[in-house]
Amino acid sequence: IMPTCLLEMTPIITEPNTETKGARRLHVSAAFNAKPKVAMSRFEPGTSISYEKLHENIDIVRKRLNRPLTLSEKIVYGHLDDPVGQDIARGRTYLRLRPDRVAMQDATAQMAMLQFISSGLPKVAVPSTIHCDHLIEAQIGGVEDLKRAKEVNQEVYNFLATAGAKYGVGFWKPGSGIIHQIILENYAYPGVLLIGTDSHTPNGGGLGSICIGVGGADAVDVMAGIPWELKCPNVIGVKLTGSLSGWTSPKDVILKVAGILTVKGGTGAIVEYHGPGVDSISCTGMATICNMGAEIGATTSVFPYNHRMKTYLNKTGRADIAALADEHKDDLVPDKGCKYDHVIEINLSELKPHINGPFTPDLAHPVSEIGAVAEKNGWPLEVKVGLIGSCTNSSYEDMGRAASLAKQALDKGLKCKAAFTVTPGSEQIRATIERDGFSKILRDVGGVVLANACGPCIGQWDRKDVKMGEKNTIVTSYNRNFTSRNDANPATHAFVTSPEIVTALAIAGTLKFDPETDYLTAANGEKFKLEPPNGDELPARDFDPGQDTYQHPPAESGSVMVDVSPTSTRLQLLEPFDKWNGKDLEDLQVLIKVKGKCTTDHISAAGPWLKFRGHLDNISNNMLIGAINIENDAVNKIKNRLTGEYGGVPDVARHYKANGLSWVVVGDDNYGEGSSREHAALEPRHLGGRVILVKSFARIHGTLRDYRSEKLLFTQWSSIRANSPSSLLFPTFFFSVLFSFFSPHCHSVLFSETNLKKQGMLPLTFADPTDYDKIRPDDKISITGLATFAPGKPLKGVVKHGDGSQDIINLNHTFNENQVEWFHAGSALNRMKELQ
C-alpha cells in the first residue's frame, strides 16, 4: 500500500514543467522519508541508523575543504558536532565528535560506570553496552573456568548488571564472548562511529566502522551526551593488490604492516586499507587486520564497504542494514582521487606467512626463516604451547581453517606435540563450531577449549607447565607478545602469528618447521606434508546463537538498586577531586624519577590487580610499582624524604598525601605507552599527585621494548614483593602485574595525556628534553604561570635542589580551552557537574 503522501504526489510528477521538477523532488523526498527506519541493532529497536545525517555532514565538509575525502575522513567528519564551523587540519586540530555508541569491557566498565553514577545523570544519552570478558581466568576448561569466574566475581558482575539496568546500558553476561567479537556480530556496521573502553576496539573496522579505543572518562562524556574530542588524525593508506591464497591469511597482512611501520608508525593516524586486493579478504579477516592495528599505534583502522561485509551482515541477521548500506555505498568508500599522508603497497599474491616476536609484535619474520633466526638468537625452538582464538582470530573461518589442519594430522595418527588451547570469540562461535564438529576435531588433536573470554591473551592464564623464569617458547594467534603478557613469565618467548601457523607449529612442536616445505612423520612412519588450510568464510547452515546471554535494560528502572557496599574490597563509589585553588603549584616533591620505559603496566599493573579495577583506593596500591627508580635502579623502592626511610611507591605517596605534601613524577620518553588504563591517571591523582613531567608522552600504546630493561625488571621482581605492603595479592603469576595487558588503546592519546587531563592532573613536557638530567630525586619543583594558564602558552618550572641551588626550566603542554577548564574544576567530571 502506497503512503498517502505518495498517492497525492503521483499525478503531479507527470507534468513536464518547472513546477513539476520541484514536485518530483518533493515526491522523492517524501518517498525517502516514508521508508521504515532501520534499527542500529536488533537489541535496540527504538534506535535508527541515520545515513542521511552522515551524508549531509560529508557534503558540507567536502565542499569546505574542496577536495576528495578518504573513507576515514568521511566517517569521522560525518560525525562532527559542528561540520560548518569545525576547524579541520589533519594532525593538528582537535575535532568535536558525536559518536553513535559506546562499548565497555567489564574491567574498564567498573570505573566508567562509577564515574557515570557520579555525574548524576539518569540515563545514558547514546546506546551503550557492557561486556563481561576480562575477569575469567583460564585454568581447566571453558565450563569449569566460567563457573569459577561467576563465583569469584559475583559482586562485580552484580554491580555491572544493576548499573546497566539502572542507567539504560545493555549487559552481556560472562560467557557471552569477547567484547570485540560481540560488537562485530551485533553492533558494528558500515559508517558507524563507536568508542570502546578497550584497546582493540578497532576490530570493528572490518565491517567498515570507525571504532576507537578510549578511556572510561571519554566513554562517560559520550554517554552523557557531551561532544567527544579527538585530535584530527592523519590517514595512512595501505593499498592491497593481488589475492590471498594457500597458507597466507589476513593475519599476515597486519604482521607485515607491523614489520614495516613498527609499533610507532601508526601514531596519530587512521590506517585505511583499499585497493583491488581487499575483495579477497573475508569480513572477519578484515576485522583481524584492524584489531592488531592497535599494535602499530594507530588511532584505528578501517576497510571500505564491499560484498564481503554485505554477506557477513546478512549471515548475522542484519540484511536490513546491508540493504541500507548498499543504498549509501558512495559514503562508505573513499572518494576517487583522495590523498593519503603515506601509502604502503602490499601484493597479497606475493605475501608469505609471517610470525612476529618475541617480546614485541613488530619483529616480523617469514615463517620459512623463523627456525634459523631462533637458532641464531638462542630462542627456544621447542614450542611448549600453541594458543588460538582471542579477539583477533576467533572467527568461524579461523576455527575452520585450524580444524582442517588438525583433521589432516589426526588422519595420519598424529596429535599436537605442544599443548594446545582454543578460545572461541563468542557464544555464537562456540555453539556453531561445536555443532559443525570443529571443536571435536580440535579437542581430539589435543586441544583444550577455553571459555568465551580473553583468557591467556591478557594474562588471565594460570599456567602450570613451566616454572617461573624457565626459558620457553609459545606461539599464539593473539595480538600482543610483550614480556610476561600471557603467562607472567618474563622468560617466555611469545610469538604471534595466524591460527593456521599456530596449529601447524603445535602439531610439529618446533619453530623449525615450515609447513609449506617441511614434512611430518605419520604414526606409520610415512612422511607427509600438510595441505594448505581451508575453511568456509561463514557457516553454510547459518550461525547457532547458543545460549541467550544478553540482559536488556528495563523500560522502567526507577526501582533498580545499584548496591556498592562501603566495606567492599572490589568496588568503591568515587569522591570528587579537589578543585584548583587558583595558585601556582609550589614545592611539589619529586616522588620518583623514572628511568627508561614507563608503560601503563608499570604505572598501574593488570594481572591479579584486575579484581580491583572498581576500587580506586585498593588498586592504587599498584601505582608505579613497576617503574625503575633512577636513584637505585630498583623497582618499588623509593626514599621517603619526610622520614628518610625507603618504602614502596604507593606507601610513600600515601604518606606524603597524609602530611599535605603534593608530589610530581618525573619520567623519560614515551611515558604512558600501553593500554586504555585510565587507572594510570586516577591513581596518581588519588594519592596526591599533581604533575607528571616527562620528556614525551606516549602517542601510541605498545612500543618496542628495551630487552635490557626487561632483564633488569626480571632480576628486581622479588624486591617488589619484599617492599610492597600488598605482597599477599601476588600469586605465582606475579609478573603479569608488571606487563600483562599491553595495548595501544589505540586512540593515540588514550592514556598519555588525555586521561591525565581528565583527572585534573597537569601532564607537562620538558621544552628542552635535556632538562630531565637537571632533576635530582630529592628535588622540589614549583609550577608557575597557572594564573594565566592557556592553550599554547608554556609554563615555568622552578627546580629547587637540596643544596639550595635552583634551575628554571620551560615546560610545554597540549591543553586546549576545554581541557584548561577541566584543570580549573579539578577534573572533567567536576566540570560536567558544573555545567549541568
Side-chain angles (χ1 to χ4, degrees), residues 274-314:
H274 62 284
V278 167
D279 285 343
S280 75
I281 305 173
S282 67
C283 177
T284 52
M286 290 186 264
T288 291
I289 294 168
C290 292
N291 178 296
M292 196 175 161
E295 313 325 316
I296 59 173
T299 300
T300 191
S301 303
V302 68
F303 278 82
Y305 178 63
N306 66 1
H307 72 280
R308 309 298 285 263
M309 296 182 190
K310 179 177 181 177
T311 301
Y312 184 78
L313 286 168
N314 287 335

Side-chain angles (χ1 to χ4, degrees), residues 552-625:
H552 289 267
E556 295 295 331
S557 61
S559 61
V560 177
M561 298 297 294
V562 181
D563 183 30
V564 178
S565 169
T567 61
S568 172
T569 61
R570 299 195 61 177
L571 296 167
Q572 181 186 45
L573 294 175
L574 298 176
E575 295 292 332
F577 292 129
D578 59 306
K579 295 179 63 172
W580 176 56
N581 63 9
K583 301 176 182 178
D584 288 337
L585 299 176
E586 297 284 352
D587 294 332
L588 302 176
Q589 178 66 57
V590 172
L591 177 69
I592 181 174
K593 183 179 180 182
V594 177
K595 177 181 178 181
K597 295 284 186 185
C598 194
T599 70
T600 49
D601 282 289
H602 295 84
I603 305 163
S604 177
W609 293 94
L610 282 171
K611 66 171 68 74
F612 299 120
R613 282 289 186 87
H615 197 294
L616 180 54
D617 193 57
N618 281 346
I619 200 169
S620 294
N621 286 324
N622 75 3
M623 187 192 73
L624 287 162
I625 62 175

Side-chain angles (χ1 to χ4, degrees), residues 32 285 726:
F32 190 81
S726 305

Side-chain angles (χ1 to χ4, degrees), residues 630-642:
I630 199 169
E631 188 175 21
N632 54 14
D633 277 346
V635 289
N636 204 34
K637 186 178 181 180
I638 62 173
K639 190 172 185 177
N640 186 323
R641 306 299 167 179
L642 296 180

Side-chain angles (χ1 to χ4, degrees), residues 21 47 62 235 289 293 415 636 688 768 787 832:
K21 292 179 182 177
T47 65
R62 188 191 288 113
V235 187
I289 294 168
K415 290 191 175 185
N636 204 34
D768 179 356
M832 184 193 301

Side-chain angles (χ1 to χ4, degrees), residues 36 43 64 67 102 109 117 160 183 200 261 274 276 288 365 430 490 499 505 518 539 581 594 657 721 793 808 836:
F43 301 104
R64 283 184 56 202
R67 62 171 174 81
V102 172
I117 290 170
L160 294 174
I183 289 172
H200 293 103
L261 288 177
H274 62 284
T288 291
H365 321 272
R430 183 210 62 77
L505 295 181
D518 293 343
N581 63 9
V594 177
K657 181 181 180 181
R721 295 191 71 163
K793 187 175 182 179
I808 309 296
Q836 284 181 22

